[in-house]
């Protein structure tokens, strides 16, 4: 695991060696060190390491809760003793921003389907290659996915001839199959090098 206190020492050494020339850099470094200290002092070191590993594994964007309906999500988020300032939650597998509004004293939910759309587009273009696993139906694929003792971060499987991403939301222990969009075609706006007509002259 990354030793967070070591990172604070590195940030401090940067300030001692040479004051950054970019305006605001010194304050930004001190704020980063304070944030690391907060993670350490509040016992969130393992959660932070888990988050870093999920980023490196290109896991789905972090969701802090999953609900079947909007009403269930509103009740669940507002029931928390300290509602989060802003987090992502899933409602029927659609990403929503859950934002606490102090003036209203409650959490406001805003659908953000583009979060998942961008993630799946990235997976279609630069994600894992097809695993070779093929299923006749989504129900058959879901049965396979839920039988895995160690959920895969991302595995591309074929269902009835179409590519799906088998993904795992580790924070909420949720396994899901997402249909993958077609890969983005290569850019065709590359200009050809101008032809040197003089080279054809005899």
């Amino acid at each position: 695991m990354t030793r967070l206190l070591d990172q604070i020492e590195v940030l401090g050494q940067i300030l001692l060696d040479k004051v950054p020339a970019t305006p605001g850099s010194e304050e930004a470094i001190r704020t980063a060190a304070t944030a690391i200290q907060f993670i350490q002092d509040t016992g969130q070191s393992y959660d932070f390491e888990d988050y870093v590993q999920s980023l490196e594994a290109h896991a789905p964007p972090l969701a802090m809760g999953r609900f079947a309906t909007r009403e269930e999500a509103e009740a669940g988020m507002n029931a928390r003793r300290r509602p989060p300032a802003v987090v992502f939650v899933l409602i029927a597998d659609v990403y929503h921003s859950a934002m606490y509004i102090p003036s209203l004293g409650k959490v406001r939910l805003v659908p953000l389907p583009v979060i998942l759309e961008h993630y799946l587009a990235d997976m279609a273009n630069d994600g894992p290659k097809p695993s070779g696993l093929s299923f006749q139906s989504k129900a058959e694929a879901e049965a396979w996915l839920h039988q895995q003792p160690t959920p895969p971060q991302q595995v591309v499987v074929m269902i009835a001839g179409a590519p799906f991403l088998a993904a795992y939301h580790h924070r909420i222990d949720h396994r899901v199959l997402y249909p993958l969009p077609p890969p983005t075609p290569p850019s065709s706006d590359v200009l050809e090098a101008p032809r040197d007509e003089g080279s054809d002259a005899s």
Side-chain angles (χ1 to χ4, degrees):
M1 186 180 76
T2 302
R3 288 182 53 84
L4 296 179
L5 293 180
D6 289 346
Q7 304 306 310
I8 294 178
E9 293 181 7
V10 171
L11 292 174
Q13 194 62 47
I14 292 175
L15 291 177
L16 291 175
D17 289 345
K18 182 178 181 181
V19 177
T22 304
S25 295
E26 183 174 348
E27 181 181 356
I29 290 174
R30 294 186 186 280
T31 300
T34 301
I36 293 174
Q37 189 70 55
F38 172 80
I39 293 170
Q40 183 79 26
D41 292 348
T42 55
Q44 300 182 72
S45 299
Y46 287 107
D47 287 339
F48 177 75
E49 185 71 14
D50 187 49
Y51 176 69
V52 171
Q53 290 176 357
S54 72
L55 291 179
E56 293 174 347
H58 304 291
L62 186 65
M64 299 299 291
R66 177 174 176 261
F67 307 92
T69 66
R70 185 183 183 91
E71 291 74 20
E72 183 182 326
E74 289 177 344
M77 298 304 293
N78 284 314
R80 297 191 178 191
R81 186 173 62 87
R82 295 183 63 183
V86 182
V87 296
F88 290 144
V89 298
L90 296 177
I91 301 178
D93 287 334
V94 176
Y95 274 88
H96 284 67
S97 170
M99 178 185 301
Y100 180 69
I101 310 297
S103 60
L104 300 177
K106 63 179 182 179
V107 172
R108 181 185 179 191
L109 296 168
V110 179
L112 293 173
V114 69
I115 298 295
L116 182 58
E117 292 171 6
H118 286 169
Y119 171 70
L120 293 178
D122 288 342
M123 290 295 99
N125 292 323
D126 303 311
K129 302 300 181 183
S131 63
L133 293 169
S134 180
F135 304 93
Q136 295 298 318
S137 67
K138 189 174 182 181
E140 182 183 339
E142 287 175 340
W144 164 83
L145 181 59
H146 288 281
Q147 289 171 358
Q148 303 306 305
T150 302
Q153 290 285 356
Q154 307 95 5
V155 174
V156 176
V157 301
M158 302 299 291
I159 301 177
F164 278 70
L165 182 73
Y168 181 58
H169 292 269
H170 73 281
R171 190 63 184 258
I172 54 177
D173 191 26
H174 177 49
R175 311 175 192 207
V176 64
L177 291 165
Y178 291 122
L180 283 173
T184 303
S187 177
S188 59
D189 58 358
V190 179
L191 298 178
E192 293 184 2
R195 181 181 178 185
D196 186 359
E197 296 181 357
S199 63
D200 293 337
S202 55

